[in-house]
């Protein structure tokens, strides 16, 4: 369906006062598309346009900061409920991701990775929050920005630990490989570590949230569009059940994407801190 047909279908739905259904003649299905990811600016400052995803990202940042501030501002030996929840979340990332991947050397990076995990998770959860209803990580700028933070940290630690020559050797020269293979392997390793890693880190988080949001929106619209006194009611109810199922599945995906992002970030840091062979 072209962009023009999508716009036409949406105008038809709006013109009918939101009562456009499958049984109505001349009322096309308003299929969602890229328009679901385009937002009018809330306000502008010069050439900067502040839109809904940016607002949601600030809200998510304040939620994460506010929660951990409230949980640990006055820590007690016997934790209260809020502190206990904060400790469980912090220990989960620390023990299950950072220490498992990096080891004891990863202790100093735990605050950064804990913050990143909960920030990504809350931004994903925005998809199912009323009035928000948009996963911030489905806007490519946000996963790309976080991937850039991970990549710069990875590069900085690599060259700080091994020096200039040793850093490139760490990135491009795997140990225990026969010398004649290096002619092929070194360019591949260089391209993979320098360019592919940050790209795949960003795209993985973006693509999952993008696809999940689009599916939920499509079946939500279909539930209303198929609603009619005829057989369409059955189709609409099936579409509604699928929407509920997708939303439940999306809750799992939202958590997993935050987990995978931080796990990969930890693995990159572990590689940067690895002793030269």
């Amino acid at each position: 369906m072209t962009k023009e047909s999508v716009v036409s279908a949406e105008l038809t739905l709006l013109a009918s006062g939101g009562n456009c259904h499958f049984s109505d003649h001349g009322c096309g299905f308003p299929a969602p598309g890229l328009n679901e990811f385009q937002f009018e600016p809330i306000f502008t400052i010069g050439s900067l346009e502040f839109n809904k995803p940016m607002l949601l990202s600030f809200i998510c940042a304040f939620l994460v900061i506010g929660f951990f501030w409230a949980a640990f501002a006055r820590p007690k030996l016997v934790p209260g409920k809020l502190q206990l929840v904060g400790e469980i979340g912090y220990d989960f990332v620390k023990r299950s991701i950072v220490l498992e991947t990096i080891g004891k050397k990863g202790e100093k990076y735990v605050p950064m990775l804990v913050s990143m995990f909960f920030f990504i998770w809350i931004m994903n959860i925005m998809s199912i929050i009323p009035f928000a209803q948009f996963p911030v990580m489905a806007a490519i700028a946000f996963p790309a920005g976080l991937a850039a933070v991970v990549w710069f940290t990875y590069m900085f630690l690599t060259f700080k630990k091994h020096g200039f020559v040793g850093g490139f050797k760490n990135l491009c020269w795997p140990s225990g490989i026969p010398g004649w293979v290096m002619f092929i392997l070194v360019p591949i390793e260089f391209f993979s570590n320098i360019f592919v890693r940050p790209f795949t880190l960003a795209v993985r988080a973006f693509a999952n949230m993008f696809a999940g949001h689009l599916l939920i929106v499509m079946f939500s619209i279909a539930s209303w569009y198929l609603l009619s006194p005829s057989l369409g009611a059955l189709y609409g109810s099936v579409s509604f059940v699928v929407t509920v199922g997708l939303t439940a599945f999306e809750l799992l995906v939202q958590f997993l994407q935050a987990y995978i992002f931080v796990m990969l970030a930890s693995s990159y840091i572990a590689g940067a801190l690895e002793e030269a062979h």
Side-chain angles (χ1 to χ4, degrees):
M1 181 175 284
T2 64
K3 181 178 180 181
E4 289 76 12
S5 60
V6 170
V7 172
S8 176
E10 289 180 334
L11 290 175
T12 303
L13 182 62
L14 290 172
S16 65
N19 293 318
C20 181
H21 298 289
F22 175 73
S23 57
D24 299 333
H25 294 291
C27 183
F29 175 62
L34 292 179
N35 54 296
E36 293 295 329
F37 302 88
Q38 297 170 346
F39 299 92
E40 292 295 324
I42 299 172
F43 62 86
T44 59
I45 303 176
S47 60
L48 174 65
E49 296 184 347
F50 190 89
N51 57 18
K52 180 179 178 178
M54 296 173 71
L55 174 62
L56 293 177
S57 70
F58 274 97
I59 292 173
C60 292
F62 286 131
L63 286 173
V64 173
I65 294 170
F67 171 77
F68 282 103
W69 181 274
F72 297 113
R74 297 178 180 176
K76 299 177 181 178
L77 186 61
V78 179
K81 293 180 180 179
L82 197 61
Q83 183 182 335
L84 181 62
V85 173
E87 287 180 356
I88 291 172
Y90 187 91
D91 283 343
F92 168 76
V93 177
K94 177 181 176 180
R95 299 181 187 279
S96 300
I97 303 178
V98 180
L99 295 184
E100 285 286 330
T101 307
I102 306 175
K104 282 291 184 181
K105 292 181 291 185
E107 288 273 4
K108 64 172 70 176
Y109 308 105
V110 171
M112 180 189 81
L113 295 170
V114 168
S115 302
M116 194 170 286
F117 174 84
F118 284 100
F119 184 48
I120 294 170
W121 189 20
I122 297 300
M123 286 199 294
N124 289 343
I125 287 176
M126 286 292 118
S127 171
I128 60 170
I129 301 299
F131 303 107
Q133 294 174 312
F134 182 78
V136 184
M137 292 291 280
I140 187 62
F142 294 96
L146 289 168
V149 171
V150 173
W151 186 83
F152 280 115
T153 303
Y154 173 43
M155 291 293 108
F156 173 78
L157 292 176
T158 297
F159 290 105
K160 180 183 178 182
K161 173 73 175 179
H162 305 284
F164 185 77
V165 176
F168 276 105
K169 185 177 179 181
N170 178 275
L171 290 169
C172 308
W173 196 278
S175 60
I177 304 296
W180 63 271
V181 182
M182 291 301 181
F183 177 75
I184 300 173
L185 196 58
V186 167
I188 294 174
E189 285 292 308
F190 177 83
F191 186 77
S192 174
N193 290 326
I194 302 296
F195 299 106
V196 175
R197 278 189 170 186
F199 176 78
T200 55
L201 188 63
V203 170
R204 182 183 291 105
F206 157 75
N208 280 278
M209 291 300 100
F210 181 93
H213 179 65
L214 198 58
L215 282 171
I216 290 175
V217 170
M218 183 178 70
F219 280 99
S220 297
I221 294 174
S223 299
W224 175 254
Y225 176 73
L226 293 171
L227 185 64
S228 66
S230 61
L231 187 61
L234 176 61
Y235 301 145
S237 61
V238 171
S239 181
F240 178 75
V241 171
V242 173
T243 303
V244 174
L246 283 173
T247 303
F249 180 70
E250 191 70 4
L251 283 170
L252 175 62
V253 173
Q254 289 161 2
F255 173 83
L256 286 177
Q257 286 308 307
Y259 180 90
I260 291 169
F261 193 99
V262 173
M263 184 182 68
L264 289 173
S266 299
S267 71
Y268 299 162
I269 292 173
L273 299 176
E274 190 177 68
E275 295 294 339
H277 296 285

